[in-house]
Amino acid sequence: MALRSVSRKAIGLKLVHKHGFVRGLSSTGFSLPEFSLPDLPYDYGALEPVIMAEIMKLHHQHHHQSYVTNYNQALLQLEHALSVADSPTIVRLQSSIKFNGGGHINHSIFWKNLSPIKELGGEPPKPSLGSAIDTQYGSLDALIQKVNARGAALQGSGWIWLALDKEQKKLSVETTANQDPLVTKGSALVPLIGIDVWEHAYYLQYHNVKANYVKNIWKVINWKYASEVYEKNCP
Amino acid sequence: MGSFCYHTFPASSHLLVSDFSQGFKSPKLPYLSKQQERWFSRSQGASKVFAYYGLRAPPYKLDALEPYMSRRTLEKHWGGHHWNYVEGLNKQLEKNEVLYGCTMDELVKVTYNNGNPLPEFNNAAQVWNHDFFWDSMQPGGGDMPKLGVLQQIEKDFGSFTNFREKFVESALTLFGSGWVWLVLKREERRLAVIKTSNAVCPLVWDDIPIISLDMWEHAYYLDYKNDRGKYVNVFMNHLVSWNVATGRMARAEAFVNLGEPKIPIA
């Protein structure tokens, strides 16, 4: 169940000498991380009737898995390109790393953001996150309306986020396109809740009525996880 | 800037004008007959909309593309998504008289605003894109282009197989939502395969689209789930309409000199 998250500092562009060429890759003891698909903390059918089992299965076993596979592949190619200082390839790989790596990051958070209704799903956040929401947005409902509106307005594929700016200690609602992770919107932003609004996340069940999906997903949102992340970054 | 209509069929936008005598602009007509005044004040209260865009049906029945594209997909895609874009566009245009009276092509280019799209762009472009897409397919499609189109493809890609590979590869490497196009590039005077994100279409760069494939997930998810490869191959093998592509190429030749030797399209 645990996400095998490997510190990305291991990749370390400290490999690159200050004058720009790569030094002694093998001597740094660097080993390329290999990412893997995390297990879901619940069964595929556990989020019914909000999200049907078939969607969860496809989403996890196919979509997320292919992000993981392609991410690992891109990193392998990057390692090789770094070892021969092939700049064009290093740069060319960035979009694949951002897309597939982002997909892996985002979905790993997403599975933890959800919980079956009879467990934690839908239970409102307790303080301190609860009071931060009330202070900043007036009420949990007001926040939910805001998130839903942003979700409806998002064109194409992307994510909606409830973010914490850990430097300013403020919450915000953000959207990212495609699989861009939240950090692309601001390096101090920490994702508390992410909602996948790619069509694959809801199409088999909600068809083209994205609004219904976004409205319903709150029934299975795991605020306990969001609160934990909040408290960790905002003690 | 002239108005270029690339459809071989009549313009997809049904510009239905309810009253010609009032004209398109905001009426400041001082000398109205009593009857016109009554009509005008009624219509002012009701709505300022004099014209709107309509949803044009695909040139085949909704189940005609089975088993390659199901009736259910057509119903959701055309009846749901495409319809929403049309409705959305009309609602936006109600508040923006400046854009009235445009053809769809003009509307797409104007709202693209050279890369800084206006709010209407998404709806306008997606209406255009979907009209174009339905026309790009036919029952019993696929196979290969013939005569002049095939010659042009061979000239620009080396072989039809090369073109097909390029098209499929573009589709599979598209990140997120978007479209894949076979397009005639005006400046370079040659065919090319390009992919665009979300609602963008080659009209905005003044190029001439020949066929398109919708790679938004809603286009294939009900039929193929996440098996994009199968969807793209089925499109190339069974759906794409080279007849329509031929018509579009013939029309394009009126605007783009494809050079010597003069390749006959048909």
Side-chain angles (χ1 to χ4, degrees), chain B residues 171-193:
Chain B
L172 298 181
T173 53
L174 203 165
F175 292 154
S177 306
W179 301 78
V180 188
W181 308 83
L182 172 62
V183 74
L184 180 61
K185 292 187 104 33
R186 207 183 273 267
E187 293 278 309
E188 294 93 316
R189 295 190 283 161
R190 50 165 297 146
L191 291 171
V193 169

Short mmCIF file of all heavy atoms in Angstrom, two decimals, chain B residues 171-193:
data_model
loop_
_atom_site.label_atom_id
_atom_site.label_comp_id
_atom_site.label_asym_id
_atom_site.label_seq_id
_atom_site.Cartn_x
_atom_site.Cartn_y
_atom_site.Cartn_z
N ALA B 171 -0.82 10.81 -33.15
CA ALA B 171 -2.00 10.62 -32.31
C ALA B 171 -1.61 10.03 -30.96
O ALA B 171 -2.11 10.42 -29.91
CB ALA B 171 -3.01 9.72 -33.01
N LEU B 172 -0.68 9.07 -30.99
CA LEU B 172 -0.35 8.36 -29.76
C LEU B 172 0.60 9.17 -28.87
O LEU B 172 0.75 8.85 -27.69
CB LEU B 172 0.25 6.99 -30.08
CG LEU B 172 -0.72 6.06 -30.84
CD1 LEU B 172 -0.08 4.72 -31.11
CD2 LEU B 172 -2.00 5.85 -30.03
N THR B 173 1.25 10.17 -29.42
CA THR B 173 2.16 10.95 -28.59
C THR B 173 1.56 12.30 -28.21
O THR B 173 2.24 13.19 -27.71
CB THR B 173 3.51 11.20 -29.31
OG1 THR B 173 3.23 11.76 -30.60
CG2 THR B 173 4.28 9.92 -29.45
N LEU B 174 0.29 12.44 -28.43
CA LEU B 174 -0.38 13.69 -28.05
C LEU B 174 -0.64 13.64 -26.55
O LEU B 174 -1.31 12.72 -26.07
CB LEU B 174 -1.70 13.81 -28.82
CG LEU B 174 -2.31 15.18 -29.02
CD1 LEU B 174 -3.38 15.08 -30.09
CD2 LEU B 174 -2.94 15.73 -27.76
N PHE B 175 -0.14 14.61 -25.80
CA PHE B 175 -0.39 14.64 -24.36
C PHE B 175 -1.68 15.39 -24.10
O PHE B 175 -1.85 16.52 -24.52
CB PHE B 175 0.75 15.36 -23.63
CG PHE B 175 2.07 14.64 -23.66
CD1 PHE B 175 3.26 15.34 -23.56
CD2 PHE B 175 2.14 13.26 -23.77
CE1 PHE B 175 4.49 14.69 -23.58
CE2 PHE B 175 3.36 12.59 -23.78
CZ PHE B 175 4.54 13.32 -23.69
N GLY B 176 -2.58 14.79 -23.35
CA GLY B 176 -3.79 15.51 -22.98
C GLY B 176 -4.84 15.45 -24.09
O GLY B 176 -4.88 14.50 -24.87
N SER B 177 -5.68 16.47 -24.15
CA SER B 177 -6.76 16.49 -25.14
C SER B 177 -6.30 17.22 -26.38
O SER B 177 -5.56 18.19 -26.29
CB SER B 177 -7.98 17.22 -24.58
OG SER B 177 -8.35 16.67 -23.36
N GLY B 178 -6.79 16.80 -27.55
CA GLY B 178 -6.41 17.52 -28.76
C GLY B 178 -6.85 16.80 -30.01
O GLY B 178 -7.72 15.93 -29.97
N TRP B 179 -6.26 17.20 -31.12
CA TRP B 179 -6.64 16.71 -32.45
C TRP B 179 -5.39 16.41 -33.26
O TRP B 179 -4.35 17.04 -33.06
CB TRP B 179 -7.45 17.78 -33.19
CG TRP B 179 -8.70 18.20 -32.50
CD1 TRP B 179 -8.81 19.06 -31.45
CD2 TRP B 179 -10.04 17.79 -32.81
NE1 TRP B 179 -10.12 19.20 -31.09
CE2 TRP B 179 -10.90 18.44 -31.91
CE3 TRP B 179 -10.59 16.95 -33.79
CZ2 TRP B 179 -12.29 18.26 -31.93
CZ3 TRP B 179 -11.97 16.77 -33.81
CH2 TRP B 179 -12.80 17.44 -32.89
N VAL B 180 -5.52 15.46 -34.19
CA VAL B 180 -4.45 15.21 -35.16
C VAL B 180 -5.00 15.56 -36.53
O VAL B 180 -6.16 15.26 -36.84
CB VAL B 180 -4.00 13.74 -35.15
CG1 VAL B 180 -2.77 13.55 -36.02
CG2 VAL B 180 -3.71 13.28 -33.74
N TRP B 181 -4.17 16.18 -37.34
CA TRP B 181 -4.62 16.68 -38.63
C TRP B 181 -3.69 16.27 -39.76
O TRP B 181 -2.47 16.24 -39.58
CB TRP B 181 -4.64 18.22 -38.64
CG TRP B 181 -5.37 18.85 -37.51
CD1 TRP B 181 -4.90 19.08 -36.24
CD2 TRP B 181 -6.71 19.34 -37.52
NE1 TRP B 181 -5.86 19.69 -35.47
CE2 TRP B 181 -6.98 19.86 -36.24
CE3 TRP B 181 -7.72 19.41 -38.51
CZ2 TRP B 181 -8.21 20.43 -35.90
CZ3 TRP B 181 -8.93 19.98 -38.17
CH2 TRP B 181 -9.18 20.48 -36.88
N LEU B 182 -4.29 15.99 -40.93
CA LEU B 182 -3.53 16.05 -42.17
C LEU B 182 -3.87 17.42 -42.73
O LEU B 182 -5.05 17.73 -42.93
CB LEU B 182 -3.95 14.95 -43.15
CG LEU B 182 -3.33 15.08 -44.54
CD1 LEU B 182 -1.80 14.97 -44.48
CD2 LEU B 182 -3.89 14.03 -45.50
N VAL B 183 -2.86 18.23 -42.93
CA VAL B 183 -3.12 19.62 -43.28
C VAL B 183 -2.28 20.00 -44.50
O VAL B 183 -1.18 19.46 -44.70
CB VAL B 183 -2.79 20.52 -42.04
CG1 VAL B 183 -1.30 20.63 -41.84
CG2 VAL B 183 -3.43 21.86 -42.18
N LEU B 184 -2.83 20.91 -45.33
CA LEU B 184 -2.04 21.44 -46.44
C LEU B 184 -1.48 22.77 -45.96
O LEU B 184 -2.23 23.71 -45.68
CB LEU B 184 -2.92 21.63 -47.67
CG LEU B 184 -2.17 22.20 -48.89
CD1 LEU B 184 -1.05 21.28 -49.34
CD2 LEU B 184 -3.13 22.44 -50.05
N LYS B 185 -0.17 22.83 -45.85
CA LYS B 185 0.44 24.04 -45.34
C LYS B 185 0.57 25.04 -46.47
O LYS B 185 1.16 24.74 -47.52
CB LYS B 185 1.82 23.73 -44.71
CG LYS B 185 1.67 22.91 -43.45
CD LYS B 185 2.97 22.72 -42.72
CE LYS B 185 3.22 23.52 -41.50
NZ LYS B 185 2.28 23.95 -40.58
N ARG B 186 0.03 26.18 -46.23
CA ARG B 186 -0.09 27.18 -47.29
C ARG B 186 1.26 27.70 -47.74
O ARG B 186 1.57 27.74 -48.92
CB ARG B 186 -0.96 28.33 -46.79
CG ARG B 186 -1.69 29.08 -47.85
CD ARG B 186 -2.44 30.22 -47.21
NE ARG B 186 -3.74 29.80 -46.76
CZ ARG B 186 -4.85 29.90 -47.50
NH1 ARG B 186 -4.78 30.40 -48.70
NH2 ARG B 186 -5.99 29.51 -47.01
N GLU B 187 2.09 28.10 -46.76
CA GLU B 187 3.40 28.67 -47.09
C GLU B 187 4.31 27.65 -47.77
O GLU B 187 4.92 27.90 -48.79
CB GLU B 187 4.09 29.15 -45.80
CG GLU B 187 3.43 30.33 -45.12
CD GLU B 187 3.83 31.65 -45.75
OE1 GLU B 187 5.03 31.90 -45.91
OE2 GLU B 187 2.91 32.42 -46.11
N GLU B 188 4.41 26.49 -47.13
CA GLU B 188 5.32 25.46 -47.64
C GLU B 188 4.75 24.74 -48.85
O GLU B 188 5.45 24.00 -49.52
CB GLU B 188 5.64 24.41 -46.55
CG GLU B 188 6.43 24.94 -45.38
CD GLU B 188 5.55 25.40 -44.24
OE1 GLU B 188 4.53 26.08 -44.50
OE2 GLU B 188 5.86 25.10 -43.08
N ARG B 189 3.46 24.90 -49.08
CA ARG B 189 2.76 24.26 -50.21
C ARG B 189 2.96 22.75 -50.21
O ARG B 189 3.31 22.15 -51.23
CB ARG B 189 3.23 24.87 -51.53
CG ARG B 189 2.82 26.35 -51.61
CD ARG B 189 3.03 26.93 -52.96
NE ARG B 189 4.42 27.24 -53.22
CZ ARG B 189 4.92 27.43 -54.43
NH1 ARG B 189 4.16 27.31 -55.48
NH2 ARG B 189 6.19 27.72 -54.57
N ARG B 190 2.78 22.17 -49.05
CA ARG B 190 2.89 20.72 -48.96
C ARG B 190 2.00 20.22 -47.83
O ARG B 190 1.61 20.97 -46.95
CB ARG B 190 4.33 20.31 -48.71
CG ARG B 190 5.00 21.05 -47.55
CD ARG B 190 6.27 20.38 -47.10
NE ARG B 190 6.00 19.06 -46.60
CZ ARG B 190 6.84 18.03 -46.73
NH1 ARG B 190 7.98 18.16 -47.36
NH2 ARG B 190 6.53 16.84 -46.23
N LEU B 191 1.75 18.92 -47.88
CA LEU B 191 0.95 18.29 -46.83
C LEU B 191 1.83 18.04 -45.61
O LEU B 191 3.03 17.82 -45.72
CB LEU B 191 0.38 16.96 -47.32
CG LEU B 191 -0.68 17.02 -48.39
CD1 LEU B 191 -0.98 15.62 -48.92
CD2 LEU B 191 -1.97 17.64 -47.84
N ALA B 192 1.20 18.03 -44.44
CA ALA B 192 1.93 17.72 -43.20
C ALA B 192 0.96 17.13 -42.20
O ALA B 192 -0.26 17.33 -42.30
CB ALA B 192 2.57 18.98 -42.63
N VAL B 193 1.51 16.37 -41.24
CA VAL B 193 0.70 15.87 -40.13
C VAL B 193 1.02 16.75 -38.94
O VAL B 193 2.19 16.95 -38.59
CB VAL B 193 1.05 14.41 -39.80
CG1 VAL B 193 0.42 13.98 -38.48
CG2 VAL B 193 0.57 13.49 -40.91
#
